[in-house]
Amino acid sequence: MKKIISVIISCLLVLSSMLISFAVPADAAIFNIDFELKCKSVYLENLDTDSPVFEKDADARRFPASTTKIMTYIITAEHISDFKNTYVTVKDKVLSALDGTGSSTAGLVAGEKLSIYQLLCSMMIPSGNDAALILADYVGGGDTSRFVEMMNQKAQELGCTGTHFSNPHGLNDPNHYTTVRDMGKIAKYAMTLPEFNNITNMTGSDCLGEDRYLITTNYMIDAARGGDYYYEYASGIKTGSTGNDSGYCLVSTASKNGYTYLCVAYGAPYEDKDGNSYDNGAMIDSANLYEWAFNNLSIKTILDKNDLVKEVKINYAWNKDSIQLIPAKGYTEIMPDDVSLESIDRTFNVPEEIDAPVREGDKVGTVTLSYANQDIATVDLLASESVDRSDLLTAADGLKTIATSKWFIIALITVGVLVIIYIMVVGVYKRRNKSHRPVKKYRKF
């Protein structure tokens, strides 16, 4: 019997963990755009509120191409603290792994010693696969596969559920994939690391020497070479493409009028059946999405921390029938400019009544905010004041409870019936005694 119970419990635990892993809590409303996108998958997030505002097939697996190097940067930065004074010798056998791939390189030369900083620049600015391999070999202790294991472990730590890496540079492999939502998490974390924002926003660098000048592949940030792709509000981060397999890919940020967004755009068409290249749809889509967000969205205060949002009946409080509830914290959200606060729906999950005593700040319930049938957030509701319990009202309520209880009523009826029976018995007994009482005869004198 114990075995059967343990098996049932195990199954329930597995099922619950599956439900948890597949549940995706809504933390922002996803809004609609009024133009067509070229990319297969897109994820746009407001970094001021950490809120996604638009997505398209955000959880579909895609080839990340050279945007993979964002994770390569992360692993390198977490294992090496001194970028400019840690030197690595470029190994010929590592470089030879790229022979025949036709992949982008930074022109590293076997035998030369380069700093980690130089290698990171060589990897992120011109998208050098050679630099990515040299870094992976060094940090992995001569074992690139060990470095890749670190990449996958870090992806799990960051909450990525649709990501698996098989190399540090991004060349296509069936087991090398991610999602735009996952890459958004990866990029946000990378932006907190030393030198990342600085390096990924460089349009060029002479860190390898003036005759080996590194030029960015990101035309969105290059005013001199970007042409129509240049977008003055963009910063970084990384381009990518492995032809039609991945299409054009781009991870970038943009800031304007006090707002900052992160955009991950994957899978824009690369070339047609005749081999003619398409325009870089990842850059076009990203710029259009940024402009849409800057022109149509703004941060609104949905709940002020001092708002009295709900009234709840309170019991056992002297001269007080209800108590007001306030949000645990103020809540702001990025919303369309034309949305009024009255259009934000509030669904309360609070009891109809509560019992004193209550302390100020006690959690009483929650309120779920939603817009256009999409949940935005769930906020705790707290008691706005302390209310003591009245002993007199508590005692009175106890007596009332006793007096109105079923068993008390039954007992009372029973006692009443017994009293009536007793009275009837006593009456009958008295009558009987009276009828049998002997009549006294008086003698006449």
Side-chain angles (χ1 to χ4, degrees), residues 42-350:
V42 168
Y43 178 78
L44 181 67
E45 179 177 333
N46 178 271
L47 295 182
D48 307 296
T49 60
D50 294 324
S51 301
V53 296
F54 179 81
E55 58 186 52
K56 172 187 176 183
D57 289 337
D59 298 308
R61 289 182 179 179
R62 304 292 181 198
F63 290 125
S66 285
T67 63
T68 298
K69 291 166 183 156
I70 299 173
M71 179 60 85
T72 302
Y73 189 108
I74 290 173
I75 303 305
T76 301
E78 288 192 333
H79 287 80
I80 300 172
S81 58
D82 191 348
F83 290 176
K84 295 186 177 180
N85 293 302
T86 303
Y87 285 86
V88 180
T89 300
V90 177
K91 298 178 183 178
D92 181 65
K93 69 175 183 178
V94 175
L95 297 179
S96 63
L98 295 173
D99 291 347
T101 62
S103 58
S104 59
T105 68
L108 303 186
V109 179
E112 67 177 336
K113 286 189 176 182
L114 299 174
S115 68
I116 294 297
Y117 179 81
Q118 289 173 304
L119 289 170
L120 289 173
C121 288
S122 298
M123 177 177 70
M124 301 304 286
I125 298 173
S127 197
N129 288 355
D130 47 358
L133 280 178
I134 296 298
L135 287 168
D137 177 78
Y138 179 78
V139 176
D143 186 355
T144 301
S145 62
R146 182 169 175 267
F147 184 90
V148 173
E149 288 177 5
M150 298 179 195
M151 295 172 69
N152 287 316
Q153 182 178 354
K154 190 64 184 182
Q156 291 182 351
E157 291 176 6
L158 293 175
C160 300
T161 57
T163 296
H164 185 271
F165 297 110
S166 61
N167 61 64
H169 41 61
L171 290 180
N172 276 352
D173 184 290
N175 292 317
H176 190 87
Y177 52 82
T178 189
T179 71
V180 290
R181 192 190 307 278
D182 281 358
M183 186 51 69
K185 297 176 182 178
I186 294 169
K188 282 178 64 177
Y189 178 76
M191 291 170 66
T192 67
L193 299 177
E195 296 288 352
F196 181 83
N197 296 322
N198 178 45
I199 291 175
T200 59
N201 201 41
M202 289 183 181
T203 58
S205 173
D206 60 358
C207 67
L208 296 183
E210 293 184 1
D211 57 336
R212 299 168 67 187
Y213 195 76
L214 304 176
I215 300 175
T216 184
T217 58
N218 188 355
Y219 297 137
M220 281 191 74
I221 64 173
D222 194 339
R225 305 176 184 86
D228 292 338
Y229 294 124
Y230 175 67
Y231 184 66
E232 62 179 311
Y233 305 108
S235 301
I237 292 177
K238 190 69 194 76
T239 61
S241 178
T242 55
N244 285 328
D245 290 326
S246 70
Y248 287 112
C249 302
L250 178 67
V251 181
S252 62
T253 63
S255 298
K256 181 182 178 182
N257 298 332
Y259 292 95
T260 299
Y261 288 89
L262 166 72
C263 185
V264 183
Y266 278 0
Y270 185 76
E271 62 184 16
D272 62 22
K273 60 182 180 180
D274 298 322
N276 300 312
S277 296
Y278 290 104
D279 292 336
N280 192 317
M283 294 187 184
I284 294 172
D285 284 353
S286 297
N288 288 337
L289 284 166
Y290 286 138
E291 279 300 289
W292 165 79
F294 290 136
N295 293 331
N296 294 280
L297 306 179
S298 59
I299 294 176
K300 296 179 182 291
T301 299
I302 309 299
L303 285 177
D304 187 272
K305 65 178 181 179
N306 296 317
D307 284 348
L308 301 176
V309 298
K310 187 69 174 176
E311 187 176 42
V312 176
K313 180 182 177 182
I314 188 167
N315 301 318
Y316 311 130
W318 186 258
N319 204 27
K320 194 171 189 63
D321 298 324
S322 63
I323 188 171
Q324 297 286 347
L325 305 184
I326 60 174
K329 59 181 179 179
Y331 183 77
T332 60
E333 188 55 89
I334 192 83
M335 300 290 290
D337 294 332
D338 57 359
V339 170
S340 65
L341 295 182
E342 287 72 22
S343 64
I344 306 297
D345 295 323
R346 299 182 179 186
T347 303
F348 292 96
N349 182 17
V350 297

